[in-house]
Amino acid sequence: LARLPGAKSAALPSSACAEPHTRPSPGPMASMGAGASSGNIALRNCVQKSLVFTPELGKTALRVKSLHRDCLRSVAWTKRAYTVPLPEREMRALVSLAFREKSSISDMHQINRLIAMGRMELEETLMLWKGESHIMQLFETLAEKRDKIAEPPPTFLDTFFDGK
């Protein structure tokens, strides 16, 4: 590419985390990420995402709790950014349900993989790389799982009367 006269050469960041998605035009909002209002969650997410997998359950538990808190903190912003029609309380309950669903997993490699995937999903949401349909599908799927858990399994008489 040809350089413009008087333009300074800029080094490329070593990772995507080094410099959040920025707008090319100068201004006060130019250095902030596209999705993060304050950038704190996005920065913490970036650092946590780049951590090496931990073989110790104690350190992994802290990373899971940190991810869970960051997801819950970003619910209000996600609701506004993606115009989700659900109340924030229900959205938080569904996010917590997703974490509780995976609480029985004991394999450290799988836990570390899920943490990395969760951080990537959070980053995609905060940076507005997802569409409204993706977010709505996530919450609809979680609501269906919640409803399935809430209804008791059919008894023998229920299946008998249904003719099954």
Side-chain angles (χ1 to χ4, degrees):
L1 295 171
R3 288 187 52 195
L4 297 174
K8 296 179 183 178
S9 63
L12 293 174
S14 60
S15 69
C17 296
E19 188 173 323
H21 179 77
T22 58
R23 297 177 187 188
S25 61
M29 299 297 289
S31 63
M32 294 184 70
S37 57
S38 66
N40 292 337
I41 294 175
L43 286 174
R44 182 174 40 253
N45 193 44
C46 191
V47 169
Q48 289 288 324
K49 190 179 69 171
S50 63
L51 288 178
V52 179
F53 285 3
T54 54
E56 301 168 19
L57 188 60
K59 290 182 180 178
T60 304
L62 292 174
R63 291 177 61 205
V64 171
K65 288 177 186 175
S66 173
L67 174 61
H68 187 214
R69 281 192 308 266
D70 288 345
C71 289
L72 292 177
R73 286 179 184 141
S74 65
V75 162
W77 183 88
T78 303
K79 178 179 173 53
R80 286 190 310 272
Y82 291 98
T83 60
V84 179
L86 299 172
E88 286 182 27
R89 175 179 242 168
E90 186 176 349
M91 290 173 67
R92 284 190 178 91
L94 291 173
V95 167
S96 293
L97 173 69
F99 277 84
R100 267 187 255 112
E101 245 179 22
K102 308 289 185 189
S103 65
S104 63
I105 296 173
S106 59
D107 180 32
M108 291 304 296
H109 293 292
Q110 191 172 6
I111 292 171
N112 282 317
R113 185 180 59 81
L114 288 171
I115 291 170
M117 287 175 52
R119 288 285 173 192
M120 286 187 270
E121 288 289 325
L122 182 59
E123 179 183 25
E124 290 174 7
T125 302
L126 292 176
M127 299 303 284
L128 296 172
W129 294 338
K130 291 183 175 229
E132 287 184 26
S133 61
H134 298 117
I135 300 296
M136 286 308 302
Q137 183 180 12
L138 169 72
F139 284 111
E140 287 171 1
T141 304
L142 291 173
E144 288 172 7
K145 288 181 184 178
R146 180 200 55 203
D147 295 341
K148 187 181 268 188
I149 292 171
E151 67 183 39
T155 63
F156 171 75
L157 288 176
D158 291 335
T159 56
F160 179 77
F161 290 131
D162 289 340
K164 295 180 182 177

